[in-house]
């Protein structure tokens, strides 16, 4: 493990930052036209803060709430 996210499958898109993390807004929505309706969290996201498992659980709850709000 080198600290780099496993996001190579997205390398042909505009959703990655220079370090290979998925660019997200404050609601964990992925930034980029091809990513409408996508959310990213945990180690793969460029969300600020440290990359720890328990924080990913909190991000999952936040992303789910955002997805439900958008679906309404």
């Amino acid at each position: 493990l080198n600290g780099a996210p496993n996001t190579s499958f997205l390398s042909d898109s505009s959703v990655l930052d220079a370090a290979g993390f998925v660019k997200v807004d404050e609601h964990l929505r992925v930034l980029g036209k091809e990513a409408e309706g996508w959310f990213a969290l945990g180690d793969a996201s460029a969300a600020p803060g440290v990359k720890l498992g328990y924080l990913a659980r909190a991000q999952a709850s936040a992303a789910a709430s955002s997805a439900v709000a958008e679906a309404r």
Side-chain angles (χ1 to χ4, degrees):
L1 300 177
N2 63 5
N6 183 11
T7 55
S8 60
F9 65 98
L10 295 169
S11 63
D12 291 336
S13 71
S14 65
V15 302
L16 299 179
D17 67 11
F21 292 96
V22 180
K23 298 180 283 187
V24 296
D25 67 11
E26 65 275 8
H27 301 286
L28 301 171
R29 288 184 297 249
V30 176
L31 302 175
K33 290 186 182 222
E34 70 269 32
E36 187 174 339
W38 294 9
F39 291 83
L41 52 116
D43 293 352
S45 81
V50 294
K51 308 296 186 195
L52 299 173
Y54 79 93
L55 294 175
R57 286 185 66 189
Q59 290 177 343
S61 179
S65 293
S66 294
V68 168
E70 284 188 15
R72 291 185 176 164

